[in-house]
Amino acid sequence: MSEQKNRQIRLARRPKGMPDESCFEMTEEAIPRLREKEVLVRTLYLSVDPYMRGRMNEGKSYVPPFPLGEVIVGGVVGEVVDSRHPDFAKGDLVVGQLGWQDYSVAPGKHLTKIDPDLAPITTALGILGMPGLTAYFGMVDIGKPKSGETVVVSGAAGAVGSAAGQIAKLHGCRVVGIAGSEEKIRYITEELGFDAAINYKTVPDIRKALSQACPKGVDIYFDNVGGDITDAVLTKINYQARIVLCGQIALYNLEKPDVGPRNFTRLLINSAMMKGFIVSDYADRFPEGMKRLTEWVSQGKLKYRETIIEGLENTPRAFLGLFRGENIGKQLVKVADPQV
Amino acid sequence: MSEQKNRQIRLARRPKGMPDESCFEMTEEAIPRLREKEVLVRTLYLSVDPYMRGRMNEGKSYVPPFPLGEVIVGGVVGEVVDSRHPDFAKGDLVVGQLGWQDYSVAPGKHLTKIDPDLAPITTALGILGMPGLTAYFGMVDIGKPKSGETVVVSGAAGAVGSAAGQIAKLHGCRVVGIAGSEEKIRYITEELGFDAAINYKTVPDIRKALSQACPKGVDIYFDNVGGDITDAVLTKINYQARIVLCGQIALYNLEKPDVGPRNFTRLLINSAMMKGFIVSDYADRFPEGMKRLTEWVSQGKLKYRETIIEGLENTPRAFLGLFRGENIGKQLVKVADPQV
């Protein structure tokens, strides 16, 4: 095992504004030997997620920055190829926060086994993983949807947004999605059952479109994007509205601080609530979230899509594509097939 | 009674930006006759409050705009001089949303009797009225102060801010006030027991001052002002911080929309919550709030100050003074002494 080379993608430089492939470099090194309680995992699928952009900067975002020159860390589904931990055996399928690399060594306690008979293993990075849980807790715990309310979701065709909107539908809400292509609009309305959708790239007047799509105003806004779209939605909020601040992807690559209407007065005069969160805030409720998500997926009530690029070397391209809106649903990179 | 003249202050024009006395006009008319279930109230004290600025504009703020040409409506403590309602008799002291005028006629159900033996009658417009309840519900229900946390209050020497800060002290918090004069700074630190205070008009660097005053960061920000001060405080918030959006007095007289850092990312990366409110959101919990406030005041744990201008004709001046920070504690206008 240890003679085999391990390809790794490292943070080569911190981006200013929009990152490009020169921010990453691919290196190779030997696979390290296992120590007691460690497990060697062969990467099958990698997750690329918008929040990782924040970790490329120097300052703390949700989580500490990626160290310069180190392997990028993110969600990985892999297969155990060697183990010195009693709970893991060769052939086990696992998910964890591992590296953008062919092989990762991790303490067993940082890994979670997944059952390939329950759902496709890729779902552990999507609808039954961090994005699904993010949508669940954001919508259910912060949004608190009530039957008959109107919910707007931005980034509605993404991994989190598409799940958040469907969860609101399951609570009896009218759900309006905002997305950036006709294909995405068709996906969320025709396949996922959103009541209406707005293509923010082509609509002449987003406020007017929101007024038409939300004749009773907006009770919950699940925000993945920020910026101008959020400004527009905030003009339509109702008394006691809830704004779920999940992401601000429109801002992550700005070179200057985000400036615009401060908009707090909108919250003030509507007794509205805005709450930021990260899924780990809900770590002690993950079992509840997984149970609900698994039930809904198995009953066909919660649909998902994955956009999969092949090849570890294409991981930076997949990541950068997130900021161009190239993905529908969860963006994954397939690195290898299971061997065992 | 009906031959006596009733002086009234009416909205003469809607202001653009900072209002001035030309926005108001004083008129006189006869006191109307009482109909069944109505009460005639002689005004003793009037309340002027920052939120009333929003009602001078055309669009809806918290509450509908004041109609042009009509008598301004606000909190009044008065004395019943005539009654056709079985629950009210001549000489009763009452509080209600009445007019900027010598005499108001109101349905009995819109009035609340006050007991002058329990506390000075002016407190029904301040610490034991709308401002006290606003401080109580904002701090207790939205801020949710926990012992050892750090609380920042802007507009800290005002009627609401001074109470909000003391309520946080009663919950064991470190409380830092922001205000605009040395007299106010002395008042909140020396009389009210705030742990630290910042004079935003004279401090060279408010962020540095906040860092010094809040070495453990900010857990709760009770915001009465908005704008630059709020921008500065938001750079210091901790994980799971709560921002109580109570007022934005720095913005009420802007002629252009408020523009600046959108700041939502600050909430996002700190899992922070921001909630706007108006005291009437808590109408069904007013008895709870009044009970707590009354206990604290009677035990000497909750102090208050009033700034009183005499004469109905000076009501516009008292109101305009709010935006120049002329008041400490509750700004009132004394219109008459009780006669009965």
Side-chain angles (χ1 to χ4, degrees), chain B residues 44-62:
Chain B
L44 303 178
Y45 291 93
L46 289 176
S47 176
V48 292
D49 298 279
Y51 83 88
M52 300 173 87
R53 175 63 184 85
R55 301 196 68 182
M56 296 178 74
N57 295 335
E58 202 141 18
K60 182 180 175 300
S61 171
Y62 298 97

Side-chain angles (χ1 to χ4, degrees), chain A residues 60-62 223 226-228 230-231 234 239-240 245-248 251-252 257-265 267-278 280-281, chain B residues 60-62 223 226-228 230-231 234 239-240 245-248 251-252 257-265 267-278 280-281:
Chain A
K60 182 179 177 298
S61 170
Y62 298 97
D223 187 17
D228 295 341
T230 295
D231 290 342
L234 291 178
Y239 177 70
Q240 299 277 25
L245 267 186
C246 179
Q248 300 271 283
L251 315 181
Y252 295 162
D258 178 39
V259 168
R262 281 194 184 89
N263 272 330
F264 296 160
T265 304
L267 304 181
L268 180 61
I269 65 175
N270 291 294
S271 293
M273 189 271 283
M274 173 177 272
K275 171 100 178 62
F277 76 113
I278 178 172
S280 55
D281 298 343
Chain B
K60 182 180 175 300
S61 171
Y62 298 97
D223 186 17
D228 295 341
T230 295
D231 290 343
L234 291 178
Y239 176 70
Q240 299 277 24
L245 266 186
C246 179
Q248 301 271 282
L251 315 181
Y252 295 164
D258 178 38
V259 167
R262 281 193 183 91
N263 273 329
F264 297 158
T265 304
L267 304 181
L268 179 61
I269 65 175
N270 291 295
S271 293
M273 188 271 284
M274 174 178 270
K275 170 98 178 64
F277 76 111
I278 178 171
S280 55
D281 299 343

Side-chain angles (χ1 to χ4, degrees), chain B residues 148-152 174-176 195-198 207-219 235-238:
Chain B
E149 288 191 322
T150 299
V151 177
V152 172
R174 173 177 177 80
V175 178
V176 177
D195 298 283
I198 297 168
R207 291 192 189 196
K208 193 183 283 183
L210 281 163
S211 294
Q212 285 166 353
C214 310
K216 293 198 273 181
V218 177
D219 299 296
T235 66
K236 309 298 177 193
I237 59 172
N238 289 333

